[in-house]
Amino acid sequence: MAESNKMKEMPVNKLMVQMGIPMILSMALQAVYNIVDSAFVGNMRVGSEAALNALTLVFPVQMLMVAVGIGTGVGTNALLARTLGQGNSKKAAKVAGNSLFLGAIIYVVCLLFGIFGVKAYISSQTVDAEVLEMGVSYLRICCVISFGIIFFSLFEKLLQATGRSLYSTIGQVVGAVVNIILDPIIIYGIGPCPEMGVKGAAYATVIGQVASAVLLLIFHIKLNKEFEHGAKYMKPDGGIIKEIYTIGLPAIIAQALMSIMVYVMNLILKFNPSAQTAYGLFYKVQQFVLFLAFGLRDAITPIIAFAYGMRSKKRIQDGIKYGLMYTVILMILGIVITEIFPGGFATLFNAGASREYFIGAMRIISVSFLFAGINIAYQGIYQALNGGVESLVISLLRQLIIILPLAGIFSVFARNGQMTVSLIWWAFPITEIISCFVGYVFLKRISKNKVDVLN
C-alpha cells in the first residue's frame, strides 16, 4: 500500500518528477523502435530507398495498433487510479481484469487485418512494386504478432496507475535493447542468421515487444497487490468497459487520428515520393519528441485522477501547474535539439534523395513542438477530470479539422510549382497554435466547473 500512500501524500511536485521520469523514458524508448528500424533499414546494401518508403507507408497502421492499446490503457489507468483513490479494491480488480479481456479482443482484430487487409492498404499509397512487396511483408508480421505491443501497453498502464512507473520503464528498456541487438543481426544476416532485410526489421520489433509484455505481466502479478488477480475478474462487465472507454475512447481517437493524419499526408505527398519518405522519417523524430510529452501526460493523468477521487482541490491544481510547467521545459529542449542537428538525423537515416526535404521539414515543423506538447498535457488533464469531449475536440482540431485541409490547400501550390514543398510543412505550426488557444479556453472551463467547486 506504500505506492497508494505515495499517490495520496507525497508533494505533487516531487511525485510528478518521480513518476514522470520513468514514464518519459518509457515513451521515448517506444519511439526508438521505429527510429532504430529506419536507421538500420536505411543503411541496407540493396533497396534502402524503397525500404524507407515502405516503412513510411506502414507506420500509420503501427500507430493505430498502439493507439487502441494505449487508449484502452489510458482509460484503465485513470479509472483504476480513481477507484484506488476511493479505496474500492474489488472494483479495481474488475477494472484490471476487463482491460485484459479487451486486449484479447483488440489482438484478434489486428490478426485478421494482418491476414486479409495489409496488401490493399499498402497498394492504396504506392504503385512501386518493390515498395509494395516490402511494405506488405513488414506490416503483416507486425499485425500477426501484435499481441506483444497490445498487452505491453495495458500492463504498462496498470503499473503506472498504482505508481509503479519505474517497472514499466524497465520492461520498455528490455524490449528496446532486444530490438536494437536483433536489428542488425536479422536485417543484415550476421553469424548463422540469414539476411532478411525488411522482414528482419519487423521480426526484431515484434520480438522486442513480446519480451516487454512478458516482463510487465510478471511485474503486474508480483507487485500490484492493491487488488486481486485472476481469470474470474476478466469476465466482461459492461459497466466497467463503458467507464474505461468513456475515459479512454478520446485517447484512442486522438492516437488514431494521428494514424489517419499520417496516412492522408502520405496521399497528399504522393506526387513527390522523396518528400513522402522525408515526412515519414521526420514524423518518427517528431514522435520521439512528442512522446516525451505523452510520457509526462501519463504521469499527469493518474496524479490528477487520484486527487480528483480524493476530492483534493489543492493536489489537482498542483498537478495542472507542474504538469504544464514540465511539459514546456521538455518541448523547448526538443526544439533546440531538432533545430541544431537536422543534418545529423538525416545522416542517421541515410536519407539520400529525401535529405533536403527532411531537413526542411525538421526546421519548420519543430517550431510547433511547444504548442503540441501543451495540447497533449491539456488532454491528460481533461481525461483525469472526466473531460473526454474536450480532449476529443482538441484531437480533432490538431489532426483532422485544421491540419489536413491546410496541408491539402498548400500542396496545390506545391504541385503547380508556384511554391516549394516546404509550404506544406507550415500547416503544422499554424494548427498547433490555434488548437492551443482553444485548449486553454477548455481548461479554464473545466477548472471552474469541476475543480473550483470542491471543498
Side-chain angles (χ1 to χ4, degrees), residues 16 19-32 35 255 258 284-300 323 326-338 345 369 372-374 376-377:
M16 187 78 68
M19 289 182 63
I21 290 175
M23 292 181 184
I24 289 165
L25 291 175
S26 178
M27 292 298 287
L29 286 168
Q30 186 167 310
V32 163
I35 291 177
Q255 296 269 357
M258 292 165 63
K284 294 174 183 181
V285 178
Q286 175 181 267
Q287 286 302 93
F288 181 80
V289 176
L290 295 187
F291 270 27
L292 304 180
F294 281 119
L296 187 57
R297 179 206 65 186
D298 289 344
I300 294 169
Y326 292 139
T327 297
V328 168
I329 292 170
L330 285 173
M331 293 301 98
I332 290 174
L333 179 62
I335 292 171
V336 170
I337 292 172
T338 51
F345 284 104
F369 290 165
I374 293 172
I376 291 165

Side-chain angles (χ1 to χ4, degrees), residues 78-99:
L79 180 59
L80 184 59
R82 189 184 311 145
T83 303
L84 291 172
Q86 295 165 344
N88 190 344
S89 59
K90 184 176 180 180
K91 181 178 178 181
K94 291 183 178 180
V95 172
N98 272 253
S99 74

Side-chain angles (χ1 to χ4, degrees), residues 25 76 98 131 195 204 212 216 222 342 354 392 399 426 445:
L25 291 175
T76 302
N98 272 253
V131 173
E195 182 178 350
S212 294
L216 291 199
K222 296 291 186 183
S354 304
L392 175 59
Q399 290 152 342
W426 281 105
R445 187 175 70 182

Side-chain angles (χ1 to χ4, degrees), residues 63-321:
M63 291 168 59
L64 186 59
M65 291 190 293
V66 172
V68 179
I70 288 183
T72 303
V74 165
T76 302
N77 181 330
L79 180 59
L80 184 59
R82 189 184 311 145
T83 303
L84 291 172
Q86 295 165 344
N88 190 344
S89 59
K90 184 176 180 180
K91 181 178 178 181
K94 291 183 178 180
V95 172
N98 272 253
S99 74
L100 300 182
F101 165 76
L102 293 170
I105 299 299
I106 294 166
Y107 169 63
V108 170
V109 175
C110 293
L111 175 64
L112 292 174
F113 177 79
I115 296 171
F116 300 109
V118 166
K119 187 172 183 179
Y121 165 78
I122 298 294
S123 62
S124 71
Q125 301 172 84
T126 184
V127 294
D128 187 306
E130 186 180 17
V131 173
L132 177 62
E133 180 185 357
M134 288 181 172
V136 169
S137 299
Y138 184 96
L139 187 55
R140 181 161 287 147
I141 292 168
C142 290
C143 290
V144 171
I145 314 179
S146 60
F147 55 84
I149 187 60
I150 292 167
F151 283 99
F152 166 78
S153 300
L154 294 175
F155 289 128
E156 178 186 44
K157 301 305 180 189
L158 289 171
L159 288 164
Q160 290 172 358
T162 57
R164 296 181 174 89
S165 54
L166 174 62
Y167 295 94
S168 67
T169 303
I170 292 171
Q172 186 71 268
V173 169
V174 169
V177 169
V178 169
N179 183 29
I180 291 169
I181 291 172
L182 290 179
D183 257 332
I185 294 173
I186 307 178
I187 292 173
Y188 304 143
I190 298 174
C193 185
E195 182 178 350
M196 299 184 69
V198 168
K199 287 185 179 180
Y203 280 120
T205 296
V206 296
I207 291 170
Q209 291 167 348
V210 171
S212 294
V214 170
L215 186 56
L216 291 199
L217 167 61
I218 295 169
F219 287 154
H220 169 66
I221 293 172
K222 296 291 186 183
L223 300 174
N224 277 345
K225 298 297 187 181
E226 288 82 0
F227 50 88
E228 295 183 8
H229 309 280
K232 65 180 179 180
Y233 295 111
M234 293 179 65
K235 182 179 179 181
D237 184 314
I240 287 176
I241 291 173
K242 181 180 178 181
E243 285 189 85
I244 288 173
Y245 282 121
T246 296
I247 303 166
L249 186 59
I252 291 175
I253 294 173
Q255 296 269 357
L257 285 172
M258 292 165 63
S259 301
I260 294 169
M261 182 184 75
V262 175
Y263 176 71
V264 175
M265 284 297 297
N266 285 339
L267 296 180
I268 289 172
L269 294 166
K270 193 175 180 179
F271 73 96
N272 188 325
S274 293
Q276 188 184 57
T277 300
Y279 173 68
L281 293 176
F282 171 75
Y283 197 83
K284 294 174 183 181
V285 178
Q286 175 181 267
Q287 286 302 93
F288 181 80
V289 176
L290 295 187
F291 270 27
L292 304 180
F294 281 119
L296 187 57
R297 179 206 65 186
D298 289 344
I300 294 169
T301 300
I303 288 171
I304 296 178
F306 198 103
Y308 192 49
M310 291 171 55
R311 298 182 63 80
S312 173
K313 180 178 178 180
K314 176 68 165 58
R315 290 183 71 82
I316 294 171
Q317 291 173 334
D318 284 349
I320 294 171
K321 178 176 71 175

